[in-house]
Amino acid sequence: MEQRILILFAHPRVEKSRANLALTRSIPPHPDITFHDLYERYPDFNVDVAYEKKLLLDHSVIIWHHPFYWYSAPPLLKQWIDMVLEFGWAYGPGGTALKGKIAFNAITTGGAREVYSREGYNRFTIREFLTPFDQTAHLCKMIYLPPFAVQGTHRLTHEHLLQKAGQYSQLLLRLLEGRFRPEGLQQYLFLNDWITQTQDVTI
Amino acid sequence: MNGNFLMQAVVYLTAAVVCVPVARRLGLGSVLGYLLSGILIGPFLLGFIGEEGRDIMNFAEFGVVMMLFLVGLELEPAQFWRMRRMIVGMGTLQICLTAALISAAALFLGLSWQASLAAGLALAMSSTAIVLQTLNEKGMMRTAGGQSSFAVLLFQDISVIPILAILPLLALPAAGAGDAGHQSLLSGLPGWMQTLGVLLAVALVILAGRFVIVPLLRLVARTHLRELFTASALLIIVSTAWLMELVGLSPALGTFLAGVILANSEYRHELESDLEPFKGLLLGLFFIAVGASINFSLVAGDPAGIVSLVLGVMVLKTLVLLVTGRVFGLGTDQNLWFAFGLSQVGEFAFVLLSFINQLEILDNEWMERMMVVTAVSMTLTPLLLMLHEKVLVPRLGTLPAETREADAISEHNPVIIAGFSQFGSTIGRFLRASGVEATVLDNDSDRVDLLRKMGFKVYYGDASRFDLLESAGAREAKILISAISSPEINAGLVETVRKHFPHLRIMIRVKDRFDAYELMDMGVENLYRESVDTSVRLGVDVLRSLGHRGYSATRAGQNFLKYDEQALRKLAGERHDMKQYIFSVRQQIELQEQLLAEDRQNILSTNDLAWDSEHMRETISKHVPEADG
């Protein structure tokens, strides 16, 4: 099944973020990929709910793309979730507007993969920290996939960053083709691994 | 300086200090207060001053000259130019019609046609001093009635010049060299040279305003001596007036022109605040002199005759003005104000009448009578306007409050908005859209009518009046918004509210920093400078158009507003230490520059360090351990 991707990008100061600049620049220009820059669109946090709902209905894959500030998303994305995912529309009785759509987080973290573990100083895994998003998607009857993550951004060299950005681009193209089963993707800890560990588009 | 002078000063000042506050308390306005004090100390009541009242009047007429300069300062050239049709159209209609009717009446009373015409022209004049002072006091300058009044008065001022030129032609040949009263440098010259002289003088005023006065003021400002600046302001006015008299033009007109030219200069505020007290004092003196000059023995000798003359003249003038107002589309209420306001005979009549008398067109007896008519009609004007406000308006025009059906429960709105111009109406619309109804106070009857049609609860009148505030529900309301731009009215409003409705929270629109400072001194907390937010919003959009991120630009704007507000408060405290505050506009510009430089360093970056991963990376590369999540 062919997919249409909506990237909900939330970064209050992307002009100062190497990693996210690289990631956003790698997004392939494609009619079926919509890059939606929330902080640029709503600098006053006044989210246009009707417009956002229409965007959601127009797409089948929703990506929450944001830096992983304090183990969560920047406040505008939370604002977006609070305002757009309305009771009776996204969840609750009759709330089936988003049913069957795919959702996941694409995040950047300063700390490396190892520090997000029992032994690491962040004590929990990324997947654990993302539980609220997981449950949000679940409540809205969406299919929640593992995150795409660029980690240890502070120490990544320019070449490394470009490599990660290339993975993001590939991920988007694979998702567009739609020759995957969502259940098949749950085996990965990160969607990055789907790109790096297999050349097989069909899962 | 002899004792007599000091005694006179004591008499005049005491009369003013005693009568004016009493008159204001009684709601009569300051003009009537001055007039009454003049009558009181005049030769016919207490007799403190005698015939020298006339001389004082000539001197005090300078107050009118100053007032027109100040009016000019408020009026930018472009605005003046837009009013040209009104000035010429309404002015011509009013003068020609009034002069014709009064002349006809005079002919009927048995005067010669020359005398009738001369009297008609003289009595067609209205009082700039009384009307403008009243308009200012009531904050009605910008209403349709106020603008029309101003237009007609200005045209009358202009027409004094040709009238002075025509009058000698009416003189009987036997009267001989008649222009003794109207001496000017040019009077001996042929007509075309007189015209040329007049044009040159006007050109001189315009050029001097542009190229001499402003550099001169700049020079004076640099000395940081406030009194020197005041002296320069007076010098501008006196020299302009003198030049105009030299060529036979009206000094008031000349200074008005000078005012208009300086309206765009950076010293406008300083000039205004320096001249205001002089103007007030001289005008007061002028009104006192008018009051004192009323010849009550003449009135007592023929009360019926004088009364009917006064009534006749005023009724005629009122009717002509009503017609004029109607022709130029004034609404009923504005037209009534306009007609009653200008129905008196003005100060120019004194000048014209004595000139006419010198030319022997009019005999002494009639001249005296007309002088009395003039003075009495001036005294009656404030009373007439009060009558209009209290009796006629409630019946005919826009009502102060809407009459409600008896069974309607009178609801009390939590918010009162004083002044419903662009600024106020935006607030009103916003509140209404948010489900908060506001009671509106406005003194423009045209607008009041419109707002009532739109379903607003509107009270008509001067917002600083206690009774109006009370009937608008100030006791029950929580917030009073003043969207009036005039700092004087705002100050009055604050005083009234503090005294009678201390529970009301006052939120005030102010034009600029200066006005904000004045009100901060009175302890008002909630001040809103009218253009600050809009300018910053525009600036934010500029940044975005140049490619800055929307959120960063917005935050920069928000921080700038906060910073600017802090700077305002800081400066407000400091300005009392500044000896030459009056010149601190320039200092403020320098300060603004400083602020801007600091902004670049501080606001725009440090506050947002949280999201600045570049900064974080730099720090981490210096300190080895991992830092964040």
Side-chain angles (χ1 to χ4, degrees), chain A residues 81-154:
Chain A
I81 289 172
D82 292 356
M83 294 185 73
V84 181
L85 304 182
E86 279 177 355
F87 178 77
W89 184 79
Y91 71 102
T96 54
L98 304 177
K99 189 174 178 183
K101 292 183 192 294
I102 288 169
F104 68 90
N105 297 67
I107 58 172
T108 55
T109 68
R113 212 184 250 216
E114 310 83 66
V115 303
Y116 288 93
S117 65
R118 290 281 164 274
E119 300 74 32
Y121 66 80
N122 280 329
R123 297 168 57 231
F124 302 92
T125 65
I126 290 281
R127 194 61 200 249
E128 281 167 334
F129 282 125
L130 286 174
T131 318
F133 291 95
D134 188 339
Q135 173 58 18
T136 300
H138 177 73
L139 196 65
C140 297
K141 302 167 190 74
M142 294 196 278
I143 303 154
Y144 187 70
L145 298 185
F148 175 86
V150 178
Q151 299 194 272
T153 52
H154 297 327

Side-chain angles (χ1 to χ4, degrees), chain B residues 587-605:
Chain B
Q587 292 166 359
Q588 279 197 35
I589 292 171
E590 281 162 27
L591 193 108
Q592 197 85 18
E593 249 178 66
Q594 255 177 6
L595 290 181
L596 284 167
E598 266 178 57
D599 283 347
R600 279 166 64 92
Q601 288 161 12
N602 299 324
I603 296 181
L604 303 182
S605 54

Side-chain angles (χ1 to χ4, degrees), chain B residues 321-359:
Chain B
L321 286 160
L322 278 175
V323 171
T324 310
R326 189 41 47 92
V327 169
F328 280 82
L330 284 184
T332 310
D333 201 73
Q334 298 288 330
N335 199 7
L336 276 175
W337 202 99
F338 171 64
F340 283 122
L342 296 182
S343 66
Q344 76 294 101
V345 182
E347 55 275 5
F348 278 120
F350 291 124
V351 180
L352 290 176
L353 285 170
S354 52
F355 184 46
I356 293 168
N357 183 245
Q358 278 160 10
L359 292 171

Side-chain angles (χ1 to χ4, degrees), chain B residues 10 12-13 24 75 78 93 128 190 273 327 383 496 624:
Chain B
V10 169
Y12 277 100
L13 293 174
R24 285 208 77 153
L75 205 69
L93 190 61
T128 310
S273 62
V327 169
L383 289 170
T496 313
V624 184

Side-chain angles (χ1 to χ4, degrees), chain B residues 120-439:
Chain B
L121 287 170
L123 299 185
M125 298 294 145
S126 307
S127 171
T128 310
I130 290 185
V131 178
L132 288 195
Q133 180 73 1
T134 314
L135 280 172
N136 275 334
E137 225 170 83
K138 292 184 183 285
M140 286 177 60
M141 237 3 223
R142 303 248 170 245
T143 65
Q147 296 273 303
S148 311
S149 305
F150 175 69
V152 169
L153 289 168
L154 196 65
F155 188 78
Q156 290 179 352
D157 275 7
I158 299 170
S159 56
V160 168
I161 305 146
I163 290 175
L164 282 172
I166 290 168
L167 285 176
L169 303 178
L170 296 176
L172 303 172
D179 47 12
H182 176 226
Q183 265 179 348
S184 85
L185 203 64
L186 307 173
S187 38
L189 300 171
W192 67 271
M193 277 185 77
Q194 287 194 21
T195 317
L196 193 71
V198 168
L199 288 178
L200 274 177
V202 171
L204 190 63
V205 170
I206 294 177
L207 289 176
R210 282 269 154 82
F211 301 111
V212 180
I213 296 181
V214 173
L216 177 85
L217 288 178
R218 214 164 276 155
L219 205 71
V220 171
R222 234 173 273 147
T223 65
H224 290 249
L225 291 168
R226 189 173 176 167
E227 63 276 12
L228 201 61
F229 197 88
T230 311
S232 319
L234 288 173
L235 179 65
I236 293 169
I237 294 196
V238 176
S239 53
T240 313
W242 181 59
L243 177 68
M244 289 295 125
E245 282 210 323
L246 270 187
V247 298
L249 280 182
S250 143
L253 196 70
T255 49
F256 170 75
L257 192 65
V260 171
I261 289 157
L262 289 175
N264 282 333
S265 83
E266 73 245 50
Y267 293 105
R268 176 176 156 185
H269 283 287
E270 281 96 327
L271 286 172
E272 266 173 6
S273 62
D274 272 7
L275 291 175
E276 196 64 45
F278 288 99
K279 178 209 86 175
L281 215 55
L282 284 174
L283 270 186
L285 199 56
F286 172 72
F287 293 133
I288 293 179
V290 170
S293 74
I294 297 180
N295 188 340
F296 281 98
S297 58
L298 205 67
V299 182
D302 178 17
I306 295 291
V307 167
S308 45
L309 265 182
V310 171
L311 282 182
V313 169
M314 291 183 84
V315 167
L316 263 181
K317 293 193 78 167
T318 308
L319 289 177
V320 169
L321 286 160
L322 278 175
V323 171
T324 310
R326 189 41 47 92
V327 169
F328 280 82
L330 284 184
T332 310
D333 201 73
Q334 298 288 330
N335 199 7
L336 276 175
W337 202 99
F338 171 64
F340 283 122
L342 296 182
S343 66
Q344 76 294 101
V345 182
E347 55 275 5
F348 278 120
F350 291 124
V351 180
L352 290 176
L353 285 170
S354 52
F355 184 46
I356 293 168
N357 183 245
Q358 278 160 10
L359 292 171
E360 293 176 32
I361 301 172
L362 206 60
D363 59 43
N364 271 332
E365 190 199 332
W366 269 105
M367 204 253 329
E368 274 293 323
R369 265 193 209 155
M370 286 180 182
M371 290 275 197
V372 169
V373 167
T374 305
V376 171
S377 72
M378 281 166 93
T379 314
L380 286 180
T381 305
L383 289 170
L384 203 60
L385 285 176
M386 214 167 62
L387 194 75
H388 161 251
E389 199 172 290
K390 298 258 152 80
V391 182
L392 272 180
V393 170
R395 277 151 232 262
L396 285 176
T398 309
L399 308 175
E402 265 178 308
T403 42
R404 308 184 142 262
E405 287 144 42
D407 58 347
I409 305 157
S410 149
E411 89 274 34
H412 291 296
N413 294 330
V415 179
I416 300 175
I417 302 178
F420 216 65
S421 55
Q422 290 288 336
F423 196 95
S425 73
T426 309
I427 304 171
R429 278 175 45 220
F430 170 68
L431 291 179
R432 185 178 248 204
S434 316
V436 175
E437 284 295 326
T439 301

